[in-house]
Amino acid sequence: MSRDDSPPLIAIAHSLFSNRWSRAATLVVAGALQTLTFSPFHLWWLGPVSMLLILLLTLPLPAKKLFFAGLLAGLGLFGSGASWVYISISEFGNTPIPVAVLLTVAFVAVLALFPALAFWFWGKLAKNSAVRRLILFPAIWILGDWLRGWLLTGFPWLYLGTAHTDGPLAGLAPMVGVHGITFWIAASSAAIFATGWLISRQRHTSAGIVAVVALTPWLAAPALNRVDWTDISTEPTSVAAMQGNIPQQIKWDPEFLKDQIVTYLGMTESYWDTDLILWPETAIPIPQDQAGKIIDHIKENLGEESTLITGIPWYGFSERAGGFTYHNSITAIGNGEGIYHKQKLVPFGEYVPLEGILRGLIGFFDLPMSSFTRGPENQAPLIANGTKVMPFICYEVAYPDFLARNAVNSDLLLTISNDGWFGDSVGPLQHLQIARMRALETGRYMIRGTNNGVTAIIDHKGQITSRIPQFERAVLTGEVFTASGNTPYMMTASWPVLTLALILIVFVRERVIPKT
């Protein structure tokens, strides 16, 4: 790319970051800025700033260097935003500190490969043309995000659009989902460069068109956020969610089983007549075939119109698994019915890849209850007092298309979790914000029950109506409202934005635009 033909901002970047070490450090910082857009920081405006910095630093680079540029930005993002896995590996996985550090670094590095590969592909397609790179930038970013959320069960965390639960693009979520929001953030950043370049070449009309197209979603989304895409009932459902705050160290210790059950029964004592009572993930830490007396006691105390939904492991014969197996499950008791088996399992936490090789090497590969089997697809919702409640267990709520597809024709969403694995890190707060985005995308209330926080009620706009603090034993009470109908995003998932990304790639590949 000739410096004389480069956009003015690229020339500035070339002079400011000519030293490779300063450029590398700034790329890491640019990636890390995205972590500050998420909870608990909520600085959504740093998203476009991060994208602009990344573009500023990568557009002047030869195509062959883009892989390492993407890797550095990825290390900044995941090193700052996902390194909380160290807590589960070290503190609760009984892993020596040096090994835990090494595994955490490996985890971050593997995640950073996704933006690295996306940027490599970016360079292969666009070569050294700044115009092509600007057009392809949002498409490449989205495809990298999508691949990361799918390959090898996926890690659908830290999508930049999630920050807009509290940002101006929130109104786009029911239409295009989190990937669509991320696409427009990336496209807007690219448009800033394109606008400046066109103005420098005296192409003011073209610059105006690009600016209007880029700004339209930012201006329209706040108005769209006032649109109700689903019909919300006026009849409230009373809710009581128990946050037991059971220490992770004793969660699976048989000596403390009775104490845990007594804790949840005692917390529920004043709420047996509530419409919907929620206990968190594996609140009953023994398989359902051994918990008959506990379940019978719950049934005896529940009000006639009340349903208690709880996390409980399931053990039994599975045709799909070809024998007897365990599932991480959730079940409805009382004036309700149904059981749901978790489909999206956490690697090493709920199953161990290459189990025959890794089991026994270190404590992290032998965590309690890490031999679950994935549940079948297309499971029916739970029924609670005639309401269709679609449940999701822990990590499942992070998968936008998976949740949207399963939420179709449900009345209410529910998610249970045990974020005790991540201590007092930002991980549980990020998890809560992800749940908020899923409620916003589907136009449905969501009840979130956790062992140690954050337990909350989220409305159909993704806003928290009631919550209790982390690390406290408490009961959350409140009301939710059922929804009917489906948002546009629920009907199409992310296919429109992914298709748009592919169209942009084909557009550039067919050399419709000049090389420089």
Side-chain angles (χ1 to χ4, degrees), residues 9-140:
L9 286 175
I10 293 183
I12 295 172
H14 193 279
S15 61
L16 289 177
F17 302 105
S18 56
N19 181 283
R20 63 177 180 175
W21 296 111
S22 64
R23 184 170 58 244
T26 308
L27 277 168
V28 173
V29 170
L33 286 179
Q34 295 190 19
T35 295
L36 297 178
T37 68
F38 306 113
S39 184
F41 311 105
H42 299 289
L43 302 176
W44 62 263
W45 53 271
L46 285 176
V49 172
S50 169
M51 291 289 202
L52 284 167
L53 264 177
I54 291 171
L55 277 171
L56 191 67
L57 294 163
T58 55
L59 281 178
L61 293 178
K64 62 183 180 180
K65 293 186 177 181
L66 287 178
F67 176 89
F68 295 101
L71 185 69
L72 290 168
L75 290 173
L77 171 59
F78 300 112
S80 62
S83 54
W84 37 257
V85 298
Y86 170 83
I87 297 172
S88 60
I89 296 172
S90 176
E91 295 186 20
F92 302 118
N94 300 315
T95 303
I97 290 177
V99 178
V101 170
L102 182 62
L103 288 175
T104 303
V105 170
F107 174 71
V108 169
V110 169
L111 291 177
L113 285 175
F114 285 97
L117 290 171
F119 275 42
W120 171 83
F121 188 50
W122 189 32
K124 294 290 285 185
L125 285 173
K127 303 299 182 183
N128 291 323
S129 166
V131 176
R132 290 170 181 259
R133 288 189 186 183
L134 287 172
I135 292 173
L136 283 174
F137 182 67
I140 292 300

Side-chain angles (χ1 to χ4, degrees), residues 230-298:
T230 54
D231 294 322
I232 304 300
S233 170
T234 57
E235 294 295 326
T237 297
S238 60
V239 173
M242 284 63 198
Q243 182 173 289
N245 198 34
I246 305 297
Q248 194 62 32
Q249 293 86 345
I250 69 170
K251 177 70 179 174
W252 299 102
D253 191 332
E255 294 185 8
F256 294 94
L257 169 63
K258 182 178 179 180
D259 292 340
Q260 294 183 54
I261 300 302
V262 168
T263 293
Y264 279 107
L265 289 174
M267 294 176 70
T268 313
E269 189 65 35
S270 301
Y271 303 96
W272 290 115
D273 290 322
T274 305
D275 294 333
L276 199 159
I277 303 166
L278 180 63
W279 292 5
E281 183 180 10
T282 58
I284 302 177
I286 55 175
Q288 97 294 340
D289 63 330
Q290 301 175 27
K293 291 184 179 179
I294 300 170
I295 294 172
D296 288 342
H297 180 81
I298 292 171

Side-chain angles (χ1 to χ4, degrees), residues 408-462:
V408 169
N409 297 322
S410 65
D411 303 320
L412 182 67
L413 303 182
L414 179 149
T415 180
I416 57 172
S417 183
N418 179 18
D419 288 347
W421 292 105
F422 308 118
D424 60 355
S425 71
V426 298
L429 301 177
Q430 293 172 351
H431 202 180
L432 172 63
Q433 188 175 30
I434 289 169
R436 293 176 57 199
M437 177 55 71
R438 299 293 89 84
L440 179 58
E441 289 168 337
T442 57
R444 277 159 172 72
Y445 272 72
M446 177 180 288
I447 311 168
R448 186 171 193 263
T450 68
N451 172 44
N452 66 344
V454 178
T455 299
I457 294 174
I458 305 166
D459 70 13
H460 63 298
K461 295 296 184 181

Side-chain angles (χ1 to χ4, degrees), residues 169 171-181 184 441 488-489 492-494 496-497:
L169 295 181
L172 298 180
M175 301 176 64
V176 296
V178 67
H179 288 313
I181 295 175
W184 278 115
E441 289 168 337
Y489 176 68
T492 64
S494 295
V497 69

